[in-house]
Amino acid sequence: MLSLYTFLLFFLSLSGLLHAKSSDGDSVLILVEESHKKDFSLFYEDLKEHGYNLTFRAPKDEKPSVVDFDVPAFSHIVILASESKNFAKDITPQSLVELLSGGTNLLIGLSAKQTPLTSLASEFSLILPPPATPLISFFPERKDPPSVIPINAPASSLIISPNTSPIWFSGVPFVLGSNPLLVPILNAPAESFAADSEGGPDVLVDATERGGEGLWAGSQLSVASGFQTTNGARVTWLGGVDMLSDKFFKKDVSKGVKSGNARFARDIAAWTFQESLVLRLDSTTHHLVNSTIPQEQYTTNDNLVFTAHISRFHPRTATWEPYSGIKDMQLEFTMLDPHIRTALPAVAGSPGTYSTTFRAPDRHGVFKFVVDYKRQGWTHLQSSTTVALVPPRHDGYPRFLSAAWPYYAGAISTSVAFFIFSAAWLAGESREGKKAKGSKAQ
Amino acid sequence: MPPKPATAPAPSSAVQSLWKAYNDQTPDRLKFIDAFLVFLMLSGIVQFAYCVLVTTFPYNAFLSGFGSTVGQFVLTASLRSQVNPQNKNEFKDVSPERAFADFAIGSIVLHFFVFNFLG
């Protein structure tokens, strides 16, 4: 239900400065309980500053619905209601997965309480600890409770900006499965472990007696992880929504050093909402080496040229610009198995163009030019162009081979000798005839 | 005129006597055909030796060149037997001119196929 407050926010967003825009759309639905809505105001401000239109909804409300007549109504959905056990009928794990298939990006927060979203997390190869076991760490020494933990940002990460201050976290960790579509963002500190908030040290003692078995601990645990579906939609799972709250945005990590939560929130919003690390395969062409026209069929052993054009989205200017920074792209020339797998390097002097030349294999058949570029964090690039490879025509084989000149000499000499023989034979006959006539005349 | 030596030297081997008899008894026209046949045989041997010793590639060219010599040999041999005066009884209704005409047409057809297959 759109209240006056929401309308004000809407108009504020329109007048806000556009610092960065998503490549996917601007409408964001935020699912948050009424009681907690004002806890994330700085996060909302940041989103609006970057050009997003926010719509708020309590989990139990029916409107605004996420799907209108089978069309997703919002480009992005943020679920900050991490502790709600009851959602409206149109928010179920199945409906969220369908939204992902439709291209909606999701940012989902988990909590120590079991919710319907907990079962959804396991579908994304996230293994959650037992219920009511948040992440606890007794290091570094601080005045805060052990469940509020500052996590150092990773030294090098595609998603988190460099030199980000430590990030305050409070919530549950999870273990990442072996799904290649997962994109780890932030791991738990090495000294942290998952346990009840009350009996922290006892858990450690028990675990030591058992040899460390069954203890959820260490930097293998992740607190924020992304997942990129095969059709390009992005989901980010956060172990706790307090990372995005105003309280943690303003909290100091140490004397005078602000927390990195604001920067972290901006970074994961940028990745999840398709602003950063977004690539696009604009077009591909193929042709013979000394031609520019693509053909439907080529002959075996032809020299073929394949060219791809790739752009990257720049959120500051909201434009797609040619991008030549991919160093490890490959091209496969495939018929059931790749017969040729070669590098597709960028062409110097032509931004965004990647090209390679290769010799078509000696086998005829229906082949595909396949570009399949999947790297963690980046958009998946996939393209497949089908082309026929035919054997040479009867007059397409090489002729006048140097290995065959004895045979050419033999055949030609036989023909020449035959002509000389015939000429000599007929001349001899006419001479014999004259002689016979001459002798007859006598 | 001084008399010819009465005794001719005795032939020292069968090959030499064969060669002498051939030289004496064969008409010149037939010797001309035989020379052609020898040339064809040599050409065929050379091509076959190249194919066996060096390479069979390209096989179609070998077949065509070798077939050219063999086919021409066969046609010429049949011309020789039809034109030989000693075989007149066998070929009563084939005059030498007819034999040569058959030979010429056969050879031309052979060469057509040879150059088509030669590649």
Side-chain angles (χ1 to χ4, degrees), chain B residues 78-92:
Chain B
S78 54
L79 172 72
R80 188 188 192 277
S81 38
Q82 286 177 337
V83 155
N84 199 345
Q86 289 170 337
N87 293 343
K88 240 206 201 117
N89 298 328
E90 306 263 336
F91 299 106
K92 282 217 184 64

PDB file of all heavy atoms in Angstrom, chain B residues 78-92:
ATOM      1  N   SER B  78      47.275 -55.079 -80.291  1.00  0.00           N
ATOM      2  CA  SER B  78      46.223 -55.651 -81.131  1.00  0.00           C
ATOM      3  C   SER B  78      46.345 -55.120 -82.558  1.00  0.00           C
ATOM      4  O   SER B  78      46.087 -55.861 -83.523  1.00  0.00           O
ATOM      5  CB  SER B  78      44.846 -55.354 -80.563  1.00  0.00           C
ATOM      6  OG  SER B  78      44.684 -53.984 -80.351  1.00  0.00           O
ATOM      7  N   LEU B  79      46.777 -53.874 -82.717  1.00  0.00           N
ATOM      8  CA  LEU B  79      47.044 -53.371 -84.069  1.00  0.00           C
ATOM      9  C   LEU B  79      48.119 -54.212 -84.731  1.00  0.00           C
ATOM     10  O   LEU B  79      48.005 -54.603 -85.911  1.00  0.00           O
ATOM     11  CB  LEU B  79      47.493 -51.898 -84.011  1.00  0.00           C
ATOM     12  CG  LEU B  79      47.988 -51.331 -85.350  1.00  0.00           C
ATOM     13  CD1 LEU B  79      46.825 -51.139 -86.300  1.00  0.00           C
ATOM     14  CD2 LEU B  79      48.724 -50.022 -85.178  1.00  0.00           C
ATOM     15  N   ARG B  80      49.205 -54.523 -83.974  1.00  0.00           N
ATOM     16  CA  ARG B  80      50.296 -55.319 -84.549  1.00  0.00           C
ATOM     17  C   ARG B  80      49.819 -56.700 -85.010  1.00  0.00           C
ATOM     18  O   ARG B  80      50.162 -57.167 -86.096  1.00  0.00           O
ATOM     19  CB  ARG B  80      51.399 -55.479 -83.517  1.00  0.00           C
ATOM     20  CG  ARG B  80      52.661 -56.120 -84.068  1.00  0.00           C
ATOM     21  CD  ARG B  80      53.613 -56.420 -82.910  1.00  0.00           C
ATOM     22  NE  ARG B  80      54.933 -56.777 -83.401  1.00  0.00           N
ATOM     23  CZ  ARG B  80      55.293 -57.989 -83.824  1.00  0.00           C
ATOM     24  NH1 ARG B  80      54.401 -58.965 -83.839  1.00  0.00           N
ATOM     25  NH2 ARG B  80      56.533 -58.214 -84.235  1.00  0.00           N
ATOM     26  N   SER B  81      48.980 -57.310 -84.152  1.00  0.00           N
ATOM     27  CA  SER B  81      48.553 -58.658 -84.564  1.00  0.00           C
ATOM     28  C   SER B  81      47.593 -58.598 -85.743  1.00  0.00           C
ATOM     29  O   SER B  81      47.577 -59.502 -86.581  1.00  0.00           O
ATOM     30  CB  SER B  81      47.935 -59.427 -83.400  1.00  0.00           C
ATOM     31  OG  SER B  81      47.175 -58.598 -82.592  1.00  0.00           O
ATOM     32  N   GLN B  82      46.831 -57.518 -85.853  1.00  0.00           N
ATOM     33  CA  GLN B  82      45.893 -57.452 -86.980  1.00  0.00           C
ATOM     34  C   GLN B  82      46.584 -57.080 -88.280  1.00  0.00           C
ATOM     35  O   GLN B  82      46.111 -57.397 -89.373  1.00  0.00           O
ATOM     36  CB  GLN B  82      44.780 -56.448 -86.687  1.00  0.00           C
ATOM     37  CG  GLN B  82      43.785 -56.987 -85.676  1.00  0.00           C
ATOM     38  CD  GLN B  82      42.719 -55.962 -85.324  1.00  0.00           C
ATOM     39  OE1 GLN B  82      42.935 -54.760 -85.474  1.00  0.00           O
ATOM     40  NE2 GLN B  82      41.592 -56.446 -84.873  1.00  0.00           N
ATOM     41  N   VAL B  83      47.713 -56.379 -88.142  1.00  0.00           N
ATOM     42  CA  VAL B  83      48.385 -55.880 -89.347  1.00  0.00           C
ATOM     43  C   VAL B  83      49.444 -56.868 -89.837  1.00  0.00           C
ATOM     44  O   VAL B  83      49.870 -56.825 -90.996  1.00  0.00           O
ATOM     45  CB  VAL B  83      48.991 -54.492 -89.017  1.00  0.00           C
ATOM     46  CG1 VAL B  83      50.159 -54.132 -89.879  1.00  0.00           C
ATOM     47  CG2 VAL B  83      47.919 -53.452 -89.120  1.00  0.00           C
ATOM     48  N   ASN B  84      49.849 -57.813 -88.961  1.00  0.00           N
ATOM     49  CA  ASN B  84      50.906 -58.766 -89.302  1.00  0.00           C
ATOM     50  C   ASN B  84      50.469 -59.636 -90.478  1.00  0.00           C
ATOM     51  O   ASN B  84      49.447 -60.316 -90.414  1.00  0.00           O
ATOM     52  CB  ASN B  84      51.185 -59.644 -88.074  1.00  0.00           C
ATOM     53  CG  ASN B  84      52.513 -60.325 -88.158  1.00  0.00           C
ATOM     54  OD1 ASN B  84      53.131 -60.385 -89.228  1.00  0.00           O
ATOM     55  ND2 ASN B  84      52.975 -60.843 -87.032  1.00  0.00           N
ATOM     56  N   PRO B  85      51.228 -59.632 -91.562  1.00  0.00           N
ATOM     57  CA  PRO B  85      50.821 -60.439 -92.720  1.00  0.00           C
ATOM     58  C   PRO B  85      50.703 -61.931 -92.391  1.00  0.00           C
ATOM     59  O   PRO B  85      49.922 -62.647 -93.017  1.00  0.00           O
ATOM     60  CB  PRO B  85      51.931 -60.201 -93.752  1.00  0.00           C
ATOM     61  CG  PRO B  85      52.699 -59.015 -93.266  1.00  0.00           C
ATOM     62  CD  PRO B  85      52.494 -58.921 -91.794  1.00  0.00           C
ATOM     63  N   GLN B  86      51.467 -62.410 -91.395  1.00  0.00           N
ATOM     64  CA  GLN B  86      51.401 -63.831 -91.065  1.00  0.00           C
ATOM     65  C   GLN B  86      50.067 -64.209 -90.449  1.00  0.00           C
ATOM     66  O   GLN B  86      49.731 -65.383 -90.392  1.00  0.00           O
ATOM     67  CB  GLN B  86      52.511 -64.183 -90.062  1.00  0.00           C
ATOM     68  CG  GLN B  86      53.890 -64.142 -90.691  1.00  0.00           C
ATOM     69  CD  GLN B  86      54.972 -64.258 -89.623  1.00  0.00           C
ATOM     70  OE1 GLN B  86      54.734 -63.958 -88.465  1.00  0.00           O
ATOM     71  NE2 GLN B  86      56.150 -64.710 -90.029  1.00  0.00           N
ATOM     72  N   ASN B  87      49.275 -63.183 -89.924  1.00  0.00           N
ATOM     73  CA  ASN B  87      47.987 -63.505 -89.314  1.00  0.00           C
ATOM     74  C   ASN B  87      46.826 -63.272 -90.254  1.00  0.00           C
ATOM     75  O   ASN B  87      45.689 -63.177 -89.812  1.00  0.00           O
ATOM     76  CB  ASN B  87      47.764 -62.637 -88.065  1.00  0.00           C
ATOM     77  CG  ASN B  87      48.734 -62.959 -86.963  1.00  0.00           C
ATOM     78  OD1 ASN B  87      49.362 -64.018 -86.995  1.00  0.00           O
ATOM     79  ND2 ASN B  87      48.883 -62.075 -86.031  1.00  0.00           N
ATOM     80  N   LYS B  88      47.154 -63.186 -91.584  1.00  0.00           N
ATOM     81  CA  LYS B  88      46.082 -62.803 -92.503  1.00  0.00           C
ATOM     82  C   LYS B  88      44.888 -63.748 -92.438  1.00  0.00           C
ATOM     83  O   LYS B  88      43.752 -63.335 -92.618  1.00  0.00           O
ATOM     84  CB  LYS B  88      46.658 -62.800 -93.938  1.00  0.00           C
ATOM     85  CG  LYS B  88      46.551 -61.460 -94.587  1.00  0.00           C
ATOM     86  CD  LYS B  88      46.500 -61.518 -96.082  1.00  0.00           C
ATOM     87  CE  LYS B  88      46.915 -60.148 -96.571  1.00  0.00           C
ATOM     88  NZ  LYS B  88      48.039 -59.981 -97.318  1.00  0.00           N
ATOM     89  N   ASN B  89      45.161 -65.022 -92.129  1.00  0.00           N
ATOM     90  CA  ASN B  89      44.053 -65.989 -92.110  1.00  0.00           C
ATOM     91  C   ASN B  89      43.127 -65.754 -90.937  1.00  0.00           C
ATOM     92  O   ASN B  89      41.941 -66.041 -91.003  1.00  0.00           O
ATOM     93  CB  ASN B  89      44.601 -67.426 -92.025  1.00  0.00           C
ATOM     94  CG  ASN B  89      45.442 -67.730 -93.246  1.00  0.00           C
ATOM     95  OD1 ASN B  89      45.177 -67.221 -94.335  1.00  0.00           O
ATOM     96  ND2 ASN B  89      46.467 -68.551 -93.075  1.00  0.00           N
ATOM     97  N   GLU B  90      43.702 -65.243 -89.827  1.00  0.00           N
ATOM     98  CA  GLU B  90      42.865 -65.045 -88.651  1.00  0.00           C
ATOM     99  C   GLU B  90      41.929 -63.853 -88.837  1.00  0.00           C
ATOM    100  O   GLU B  90      40.827 -63.843 -88.309  1.00  0.00           O
ATOM    101  CB  GLU B  90      43.736 -64.759 -87.427  1.00  0.00           C
ATOM    102  CG  GLU B  90      44.815 -65.796 -87.179  1.00  0.00           C
ATOM    103  CD  GLU B  90      44.357 -66.811 -86.151  1.00  0.00           C
ATOM    104  OE1 GLU B  90      43.471 -66.443 -85.359  1.00  0.00           O
ATOM    105  OE2 GLU B  90      44.842 -67.935 -86.161  1.00  0.00           O
ATOM    106  N   PHE B  91      42.412 -62.829 -89.523  1.00  0.00           N
ATOM    107  CA  PHE B  91      41.650 -61.583 -89.620  1.00  0.00           C
ATOM    108  C   PHE B  91      41.251 -61.347 -91.068  1.00  0.00           C
ATOM    109  O   PHE B  91      41.709 -60.430 -91.725  1.00  0.00           O
ATOM    110  CB  PHE B  91      42.509 -60.411 -89.113  1.00  0.00           C
ATOM    111  CG  PHE B  91      42.913 -60.551 -87.666  1.00  0.00           C
ATOM    112  CD1 PHE B  91      44.205 -60.894 -87.338  1.00  0.00           C
ATOM    113  CD2 PHE B  91      41.975 -60.378 -86.664  1.00  0.00           C
ATOM    114  CE1 PHE B  91      44.564 -61.027 -85.999  1.00  0.00           C
ATOM    115  CE2 PHE B  91      42.333 -60.523 -85.335  1.00  0.00           C
ATOM    116  CZ  PHE B  91      43.652 -60.847 -84.998  1.00  0.00           C
ATOM    117  N   LYS B  92      40.374 -62.242 -91.573  1.00  0.00           N
ATOM    118  CA  LYS B  92      40.032 -62.134 -92.989  1.00  0.00           C
ATOM    119  C   LYS B  92      39.226 -60.886 -93.273  1.00  0.00           C
ATOM    120  O   LYS B  92      39.392 -60.226 -94.288  1.00  0.00           O
ATOM    121  CB  LYS B  92      39.203 -63.369 -93.403  1.00  0.00           C
ATOM    122  CG  LYS B  92      40.017 -64.600 -93.622  1.00  0.00           C
ATOM    123  CD  LYS B  92      39.455 -65.407 -94.788  1.00  0.00           C
ATOM    124  CE  LYS B  92      40.243 -66.707 -94.918  1.00  0.00           C
ATOM    125  NZ  LYS B  92      40.129 -67.612 -93.779  1.00  0.00           N
TER     126      LYS B  92
END
